[in-house]
Amino acid sequence: MATEHPPHFEPVNEWLTVDGLELHYLSSGSGRTPVCLLHGGAVDAATLSWGATIGPLAADRRVVALDMAGYGRSARPDASYSTTFHVDVLSAVVDALGFDTVSIVGVSLGGGVGLGYSLREPERVEKLALVGSYGLGQELPNGLATYALSRAPILNELSLSVHRRHRLLAKQSLRGIVHDVDALSDAVIDEYYRELQHPQAGKAYRRWRRHEVRRSGFRTNYSPRLEEVPVPTLLIHGADDPVFPADWSRNAATRIPDASLEVLSECGHWAPRERTDAVNRLLVDFLSE
């Protein structure tokens, strides 16, 4: 008997212009309520974090994986890149794509952006999935050292200039966010290395960090408003996340009215790439309920 294989949904490159910004996104699938995938900060892009997730989700729905402003193939304007800025852009994108309602899946910074949008326009969001999300707490991961680094952008520029010199250096730089860098595929390392080559790599992240990091902690902290989240919410977090602690998601799961939580063992901050199969299964099940 022939083995049946699931259909392959190759994403298509698309562009749209909102608020004068030309933005790139990957589009695939059709059918149920569309889902928008939002990547993280630092050096990231739609396909870098979500390249292995688009296909499984597109089997029965429209999937849009956005290169947020300042990242990937999207415009990199002279802007603050604050979380509010990204929420504003996401709102304009949803309008421009003509979506009445949308489900949001975000990792890290993208989670904070998706959460902010859900609180701002709850009637437009069907479901929300937050993966190692920003915006669920205030404490800085390394205290005042994190604040000091946010005020010394030249150090980030110098670090990236070193890491972009060789693929091995780029790979080693990921040790600061993942549990086991050797578990990442060669394709992911290659793509990360390519993103590092962009002459403005890190610009949006440095601007975001300068705006969002204060001596007292992160500026954007939605935890006092979590009881207001009106939609079913899935929280996924790596147990060994060195960037945003797993307790952020644990606490959020007790306060969001309709929330479920999955803490993934042997996983750091980049769950979509460290535990791809597990994350994909969780997302497919959650969005299909």
Side-chain angles (χ1 to χ4, degrees):
M1 179 181 294
T3 300
E4 292 187 5
H5 297 281
H8 182 64
F9 295 88
E10 188 68 28
V12 176
N13 291 298
E14 304 273 9
W15 281 264
L16 78 165
T17 300
V18 298
D19 298 335
L21 301 175
E22 186 176 39
L23 302 176
H24 169 259
Y25 64 96
L26 297 166
S27 179
S28 183
S30 62
R32 303 167 67 163
T33 301
V35 58
C36 183
L37 304 178
L38 301 175
H39 60 76
V43 178
D44 204 352
T47 187
L48 184 52
S49 272
W50 296 116
T53 301
I54 296 170
L57 295 188
D60 62 352
R61 74 191 70 247
R62 172 85 180 278
V63 177
V64 169
L66 178 68
D67 277 342
M68 295 194 295
Y71 295 88
R73 300 167 72 177
S74 287
R76 305 190 184 215
D78 186 15
S80 70
Y81 294 103
S82 66
T83 303
T84 299
F85 166 84
H86 288 299
V87 172
D88 291 342
V89 174
L90 175 60
S91 179
V93 167
V94 173
D95 287 343
L97 291 173
F99 296 155
D100 293 327
T101 58
V102 64
S103 292
I104 304 287
V105 178
V107 60
S108 191
L109 169 60
V113 174
L115 177 55
Y117 178 74
S118 299
L119 288 167
R120 179 189 294 186
E121 302 193 46
E123 72 285 351
R124 305 288 296 276
V125 179
E126 182 174 282
K127 292 185 177 182
L128 175 66
L130 306 176
V131 185
S133 182
Y134 177 65
L136 299 177
Q138 186 174 19
E139 66 271 22
L140 303 177
N142 294 299
L144 288 179
T146 298
Y147 173 78
L149 287 172
S150 74
R151 295 304 186 267
I154 188 63
L155 295 180
N156 177 259
E157 294 182 60
L158 290 173
S159 175
L160 293 183
S161 70
V162 171
H163 296 153
R164 64 166 56 101
R165 292 177 183 176
H166 195 280
R167 180 184 180 280
L168 181 59
L169 294 174
K171 177 181 178 179
Q172 296 308 311
S173 71
L174 292 171
R175 290 187 181 276
I177 67 167
V178 302
H179 174 71
D180 180 7
V181 73
D182 292 324
L184 297 176
S185 71
D186 288 342
V188 168
I189 300 300
D190 290 343
E191 190 166 353
Y192 176 66
Y193 184 55
R194 285 194 297 272
E195 288 295 330
L196 277 172
Q197 305 310 309
H198 194 289
Q200 290 186 303
K203 169 186 171 181
Y205 173 68
R206 290 189 293 272
R207 295 282 184 88
W208 174 86
R209 190 166 62 171
R210 183 169 184 84
H211 185 274
E212 294 287 327
V213 178
R214 303 178 297 177
R215 285 183 182 273
S216 58
F218 289 114
R219 179 186 299 272
T220 300
N221 176 19
Y222 294 118
S223 57
R225 300 186 59 194
L226 293 179
E227 287 82 1
E228 301 174 32
V229 177
V231 300
T233 302
L234 171 64
L235 297 126
I236 302 173
H237 217 114
D240 306 302
D241 190 336
V243 180
F244 304 135
D247 279 347
W248 279 14
S249 286
R250 292 189 180 100
N251 293 334
T254 68
R255 300 178 59 189
I256 296 173
D258 186 359
S260 57
L261 169 69
E262 293 287 342
V263 178
L264 303 177
S265 61
E266 298 184 346
C267 182
H269 186 60
W270 208 12
R273 287 306 193 175
E274 296 181 73
R275 296 288 306 276
T276 304
D277 290 344
V279 169
N280 289 352
R281 284 194 299 271
L282 289 167
L283 292 176
V284 168
D285 290 346
F286 172 66
L287 294 171
S288 299
E289 291 173 353

